[in-house]
Amino acid sequence: MGRLFSTLWGVLACIVPILIVAHWYLTLPPANRGNLSPHFLQLAVVLLAGGPLVLGLVHLRRLFALFGEGEMFGRENVARIGKFGSALLLFGLTQLAYFPLSSLASAGFGSPGERTISISFSSGAAVALGVGFVVVVIAWVMEEARKLEEEQSLTV
């Protein structure tokens, strides 16, 4: 089962950037789709915001590959769980930065007096930050438990 999920996360890690670019392209006004060069800064911001999601999927892929190999609570497993939590925290932070950066990237396209910069705090960013924090704490507790078990196994 671990290998199946490892494959699933790997496929998703490959597909997500394609979906991000497709969504960016499809949300452009049809008049702007002919000349994309002025909009590449917006694409860079969108990809920056989606990067931690792909990173988290890569860590999940490796974690489930380890599960598939029969390793459940090894050093690398705990490290991957912590890295996944860190990717969630980074995803939440990039979501917080997405709206201001996106509005800055598109500010040059409005006429003078119509340019705006927006700041937003979404529930998705809050959830990602909260869950990421919890996962990082769980990974820390698991690492401490792993160290204690390792110590006890060496004690006669």
Side-chain angles (χ1 to χ4, degrees), residues 50-131:
L53 177 61
V54 175
L55 181 64
L57 291 170
V58 168
H59 289 305
L60 278 179
R61 184 197 69 75
R62 183 62 188 137
L63 178 65
F64 278 90
L66 290 169
F67 289 160
E69 295 168 5
E71 188 175 337
M72 298 308 266
F73 297 106
R75 175 175 280 145
E76 190 176 349
N77 292 57
V78 174
R80 289 292 171 171
I81 292 170
K83 288 177 181 180
F84 173 69
S86 296
L88 279 175
L89 284 171
L90 188 57
F91 180 72
L93 291 174
T94 58
Q95 294 307 301
L96 291 176
Y98 171 74
F99 284 104
L101 290 175
S102 178
S103 64
L104 279 174
S106 60
F109 302 114
S111 58
E114 294 180 9
R115 298 177 184 159
T116 61
I117 295 176
S118 65
I119 296 174
S120 175
F121 184 75
S122 69
S123 60
V127 168
L129 288 170
V131 172

Side-chain angles (χ1 to χ4, degrees), residues 20 41-53 90-91 94-95 97-98 101:
I20 289 171
L41 186 57
Q42 291 172 327
L43 176 60
V45 170
V46 170
L47 288 172
L48 177 69
L53 177 61
L90 188 57
F91 180 72
T94 58
Q95 294 307 301
Y98 171 74
L101 290 175

